[in-house]
Amino acid sequence: MSYFKNTIVLFFLFSIGIQNSFYAQTNPDEIALKDNFVENNFYEAVKQRAIENYDKAIVAIQKCIEKEPNTAAFHYELGKNYLDSKQYIEAEQAFKKATELDSSQRWYWNGLYDVYYKTKDYQKSIAIVQKLIEFDQTLKEDLVSLYVYTNQKEKALQLIEEIESKAVLTANMEYYKLRLLEDSKANKDENELLKAIRKNPKSEQNYVDLMALYSQQNREDKAIEVAKDLAREIPDSEWASISLFKLNLNEENGKAAAEAMLKVLENDKVSLGLKHRFLNEFLIFSANSTEFDTELNQAVDILSNDKSINVAKEVAKFYYNKRNYEKTSFFLEKALANEPNDWESVELLLGNLVNAKNYQELGTNAAIFLDLFPAQPKLYYYAGFAENRKQNYKQAIEYLETGLEFVVDDVELERFFAIQLAEAYAESGEKKKSEYYVSKVNELTKQLKK
């Protein structure tokens, strides 16, 4: 392994340099690394991140920060590694520090936006996009989307009108405009239903119709408020379980909340939007416990009949981001049972096995899925990666060279293949071939930096 390590270090030292991915307005601003200690650790961080060793990259860049705590670009680089490793709280802190030290760099703000978008914190995203619009006016469309997601419909419509006054609307903005105008019309129906409830509070159907209207508008909080009113006026209504779920969840009574959730999920009259909302809330509530696994599995099974979304896959994604490898695999197996040919589930499963460092299962699964997707290069990559980790270098080379033939117009994936081939050939003692692939990594990295 020593030859490969030495070669790859030289490759990064001579090829990456202090490149534009780190330091200009098209990337963060340029810095002279005069201190050898800082320079060496910076290069080490870049090298480790390039081969996805984020933990090692974080350690290296933190050493740079200890030496130069007021260098914004170092905090930005730290944020990127935390983001890539899905440590979102730490990523947010690092990007915030970068913007505090230098607010003029667009990419520092972009880092924060990436964190909030990944975590679906749309409210926080709004302030960041408003800042980013100073750099790029086209991001007004992103702001419209965020206003819609956060139910600030008047602001969204006003911004669309502002965009339309200066340019032709894109298809996406036209869609939002029509949808917002329809919602404005629906507000009249809302007022009529509210009046009907006040006039006859014992009529269940008015409550049900109003909850359905709010659900159509993605206003689940309002729908839950109506359910509470219904439970108060008509305690024996089957819709009362909606308010009971929220009440028990707020009081951290997990068993009672689970029972209420399952009743809601089994009610054919409740909208799918509200059902998914309840499952998401219960998922977050029970994320760090195994106490409610049975109820959670039941909930996923109930919603498996919904063909518009593979619920098991979405739950698996949740646990994937939590780095709960066991539950991720469990729900991905459910997802693939529902949709055996779903490539996203396949890719997520293999990525989960990489994170879990379960190279035996990674190799086995990649080989199995090759029967379903014989021209999918990522499967050959994962199979080769697994064989490299198991030190089966000859088998790794066979998978990797075969898969490389299927790579088309994907420079990053081609670079990953080259990294693995450089390692496999180095460990096999084939120095010239290893050097060829190291130079190939160098070449592809430069293409990605352009």
Side-chain angles (χ1 to χ4, degrees):
M1 194 68 180
S2 58
Y3 166 73
F4 175 70
K5 285 183 177 177
N6 291 335
T7 308
I8 205 73
V9 168
L10 288 173
F11 149 62
F12 275 105
L13 289 177
F14 288 106
S15 69
I16 294 177
I18 306 173
Q19 293 267 350
N20 55 5
S21 67
F22 195 68
Y23 300 117
Q25 184 58 57
T26 43
N27 298 294
D29 56 334
E30 194 165 325
I31 293 174
L33 299 176
K34 296 178 181 178
D35 189 315
N36 285 338
F37 175 84
V38 173
E39 182 176 353
N40 290 340
N41 279 292
F42 167 67
Y43 283 136
E44 178 66 15
V46 173
K47 181 190 78 172
Q48 294 298 338
R49 182 168 180 266
I51 57 176
E52 301 182 8
N53 285 335
Y54 303 120
D55 290 343
K56 290 183 179 179
I58 287 167
V59 171
I61 203 67
Q62 283 175 333
K63 290 178 181 177
C64 298
I65 291 172
E66 287 172 9
K67 194 80 171 177
E68 297 183 13
N70 294 324
T71 300
F74 290 158
H75 292 278
Y76 171 69
E77 186 71 13
L78 179 63
K80 288 195 295 182
N81 281 287
Y82 278 135
L83 181 61
D84 287 339
S85 58
K86 298 181 174 61
Q87 299 180 65
Y88 297 120
I89 294 174
E90 293 82 356
E92 178 186 16
Q93 292 170 346
F95 288 132
K96 272 187 176 179
K97 184 64 177 178
T99 61
E100 288 167 8
L101 291 168
D102 184 357
S103 62
S104 66
Q105 295 299 327
R106 168 185 176 175
W107 299 105
Y108 301 169
W109 296 102
N110 258 354
L112 269 178
Y113 185 26
D114 287 341
V115 171
Y116 296 144
Y117 190 82
K118 290 275 188 184
T119 56
K120 297 185 179 179
D121 194 334
Y122 301 128
Q123 197 61 54
K124 284 186 179 179
S125 295
I126 288 172
I128 304 303
V129 174
Q130 287 171 335
K131 179 68 180 177
L132 284 168
I133 287 171
E134 297 174 14
F135 300 100
D136 184 356
Q137 290 291 307
T138 63
L139 287 171
K140 285 183 177 179
E141 291 201 5
D142 283 43
L143 187 54
V144 169
S145 298
L146 290 169
Y147 281 146
V148 171
Y149 293 155
T150 54
N151 204 36
Q152 300 181 64
K153 296 179 180 179
E154 287 186 13
K155 288 185 178 180
L157 198 52
Q158 287 172 5
L159 187 52
I160 288 174
E161 289 170 355
E162 179 187 322
I163 295 170
E164 191 174 23
S165 70
K166 298 176 182 178
V168 176
L169 293 179
T170 63
N172 197 36
M173 289 299 101
E174 285 283 6
Y175 167 75
Y176 274 137
K177 181 181 177 182
L178 289 171
R179 177 177 159 186
L180 290 165
L181 290 172
E182 286 173 3
D183 287 347
S184 179
K185 182 181 177 182
N187 286 337
K188 296 177 182 177
D189 298 329
E190 176 186 355
N191 291 330
E192 290 172 4
L193 287 167
L194 287 168
K195 286 178 183 177
I197 289 171
R198 285 193 293 269
K199 186 176 180 180
N200 187 1
K202 299 300 181 182
S203 174
E204 182 182 71
Q205 191 58 47
N206 289 325
Y207 295 96
V208 174
D209 290 344
L210 187 55
M211 281 189 287
L213 178 64
Y214 285 144
S215 293
Q216 289 168 9
Q217 298 171 346
N218 294 319
R219 299 166 69 187
E220 277 83 9
D221 288 339
K222 295 291 289 182
I224 290 164
E225 286 178 20
V226 175
K228 290 177 181 177
D229 292 338
L230 171 59
R232 184 168 54 251
E233 294 290 344
I234 313 173
D236 60 346
S237 169
E238 63 181 354
W239 294 86
S241 55
I242 293 176
S243 60
L244 287 174
F245 170 76
K246 293 294 290 185
L247 178 65
N248 288 311
L249 206 61
N250 290 338
E251 293 180 352
E252 298 188 357
N253 186 343
K255 282 295 181 184
E259 288 176 12
M261 175 189 66
L262 292 173
K263 286 182 181 178
V264 172
L265 299 186
E266 289 169 343
N267 187 339
D268 293 336
K269 297 177 182 177
V270 177
S271 71
L272 279 172
L274 200 56
K275 290 180 179 181
H276 289 156
R277 166 75 175 271
F278 278 18
L279 176 59
N280 287 341
E281 291 188 11
F282 189 76
L283 190 57
I284 293 167
F285 171 79
S286 62
N288 299 318
S289 169
T290 59
E291 184 180 355
F292 308 108
D293 283 359
T294 299
E295 291 85 351
L296 185 60
N297 293 342
Q298 283 181 262
V300 172
D301 288 340
I302 291 169
L303 291 176
S304 64
N305 292 327
D306 175 14
K307 300 305 179 185
S308 65
I309 183 171
N310 191 328
V311 176
K313 179 169 69 175
E314 297 307 312
V315 173
K317 287 180 182 178
F318 174 84
Y319 283 118
Y320 181 87
N321 290 332
K322 290 284 184 182
R323 297 187 174 189
N324 189 324
Y325 308 130
E326 185 178 349
K327 286 189 177 181
T328 298
S329 290
F330 176 81
F331 284 106
L332 282 173
E333 287 173 10
K334 280 181 174 284
L336 286 165
N338 292 335
E339 296 182 64
N341 295 322
D342 181 53
W343 170 247
E344 186 182 14
S345 294
V346 171
E347 193 170 16
L348 194 61
L349 177 61
L350 297 177
N352 184 58
L353 292 171
V354 171
N355 291 340
K357 298 182 180 178
N358 190 340
Y359 304 125
Q360 187 63 48
E361 282 197 33
L362 175 65
T364 300
N365 278 279
I368 290 171
F369 288 126
L370 273 169
D371 290 335
L372 288 174
F373 305 97
Q376 176 50 256
K378 286 186 179 179
L379 292 177
Y380 292 95
Y381 171 77
Y382 279 120
F385 179 88
E387 297 304 328
N388 259 350
R389 299 287 77 75
K390 293 186 291 180
Q391 300 182 354
N392 297 330
Y393 301 113
K394 183 177 180 181
Q395 186 66 46
I397 291 168
E398 185 177 334
Y399 275 123
L400 292 164
E401 289 195 332
T402 302
L404 195 55
E405 295 176 6
F406 294 102
V407 178
V408 179
D409 296 330
D410 190 336
V411 176
E412 187 172 24
L413 180 58
E414 188 177 352
R415 186 176 71 89
F416 288 151
F417 269 92
I419 289 170
Q420 293 302 312
L421 280 164
E423 178 181 347
Y425 276 121
E427 293 297 341
S428 300
E430 298 190 49
K431 182 178 178 181
K432 287 186 178 180
K433 286 189 175 181
S434 180
E435 287 176 344
Y436 166 78
Y437 281 109
V438 168
S439 67
K440 193 70 178 174
V441 174
N442 188 357
E443 174 192 330
L444 294 167
T445 301
K446 287 179 180 178
Q447 288 184 38
L448 287 169
K449 298 294 182 182
K450 289 181 181 178

